[in-house]
Amino acid sequence: MVDHILKVPFLDLKIQHAELRSRLAAAFDRTLNFGWFIQGHELKEFEQEFAEYCDATHCVGVGNGLDALHLILRAYEIGEGDEVIVPSNTYIATWLAVSYAGAKPVPVEPDERTYNIDPARIAGAITPRTKAILVVHLYGQPADMDAINEIGRRHNLKVIEDAAQAHGALYKGRRVGSLGDAAGFSFYPGKNLGAIGDGGAVTTNDNVLAEKIRILGNYGSKIKYHNDVKGYNSRLDELQASFLREKLKKLDEWNKQRQLLARHYLAQLDANNLALPFVPDWAEPVWHLAVIRSKTRHALQQHLTQTGIGSMIHYPIPPHLQPAYADLGLENGVFPIAEHIHQEVLSLPMYPGLSTAQADYVINA
């Protein structure tokens, strides 16, 4: 979202695209001239480069981040009658992936300081039907994966990362994307690593899983016109792969810019009137979003808008209170921590190219 009338837009992708304009144009020409647009050289190269970046053995490009999570669950044969642990505090896509697979999302409350799923609460939600824990690295901050993986091992559960907001984030010095059994990434344009359109990927060290996902995402076919299973059409196209290859070269630099901006926000914002993000010692977030909390969020957001500053709410309604999940019968008050967070969160401008002067303008406002 780019708001051209604001002094400080919430997001401005024009800056990074202007920086890479010649490289992106060359990638476009390269792909156009080669004349192969689905499952070709650009995708193969990007998959190898992104797998190496995530310290994973495999990367499989898919249509979007939701598909990435859905295909992981399908490949693990998680479906009807099964349950998957999910955060109560997340974007609804995490839950939708479970529903698409035919399984039931079982919410667990977050640690209110980090907004990520609280490992201490997971065991209490496990039943004989539980097959996986779907962990979200929300806003670009990694969840406590060692504690979660230990629970997974103890209960024989798959641990799946929703890394849609956390490209390049570090947990105890290790990149997200290789911290569980598999990880799903989104390359939606506003992500830290964003395509110029939609896209997604799965990373994993599981050879069998990677092959299953390749087949599932290609109509259930390994050999053209030979369909082994009922699959889907979910493939990262050549053009987006070529753009992502160019952007991946800049990702660490862009993430460092986000980290510097976040430190500036944290050092200067008034912690007496706002709840500021908490970062554990073992986490190196990449600040996909800079989320504060205010007890007077509506008034604060109105004031920022009037001052010429863009902001957004991530997210106004928790998944269990969305009409889409009314069938679960989870009423208001069932998950009070998530509900409280959703009532107060407000995302401030955060993107590479946002100047210190603009950040100061936000802080002063």
Side-chain angles (χ1 to χ4, degrees), residues 270 272-275 292-304 311 313 340-346 365:
D270 184 359
N272 294 317
N273 293 314
L274 302 169
I292 61 171
R293 284 167 51 200
S294 170
K295 296 185 183 301
T296 56
R297 178 182 68 194
H298 179 68
L300 175 57
Q301 187 173 37
Q302 280 191 321
H303 169 70
L304 292 176
S311 63
I313 298 170
H340 181 62
I341 288 170
H342 283 246
Q343 289 166 2
E344 294 187 352
V345 287
L346 185 66

Side-chain angles (χ1 to χ4, degrees), residues 320-321 328-336 339:
H320 72 279
L321 297 182
L328 294 181
L330 300 172
E331 298 179 354
N332 193 45
V334 175
F335 296 105
E339 291 164 17

Side-chain angles (χ1 to χ4, degrees), residues 6-7 42 52 60 64 68 83 85 90 123 128 149 160 169 173 181 221-222 225 252 269 276 312 315 318 335 349:
L6 296 177
K7 294 179 181 177
E42 295 292 339
E52 290 174 358
V60 182
N64 54 65
E83 295 177 351
I85 301 292
T90 185
N149 280 324
I160 302 164
D181 293 290
S221 173
K222 184 176 182 180
Y225 303 132
D252 285 343
L269 286 170
L276 302 181
M312 291 189 72
Y315 301 94
F335 296 105

Side-chain angles (χ1 to χ4, degrees), residues 147-170:
I148 294 167
N149 280 324
E150 194 279 326
I151 296 168
R153 285 190 294 271
R154 194 182 340 137
H155 294 274
N156 195 28
L157 304 176
K158 297 297 182 184
V159 176
I160 302 164
E161 300 173 78
D162 180 342
Q165 301 182 357
H167 315 70
L170 295 176

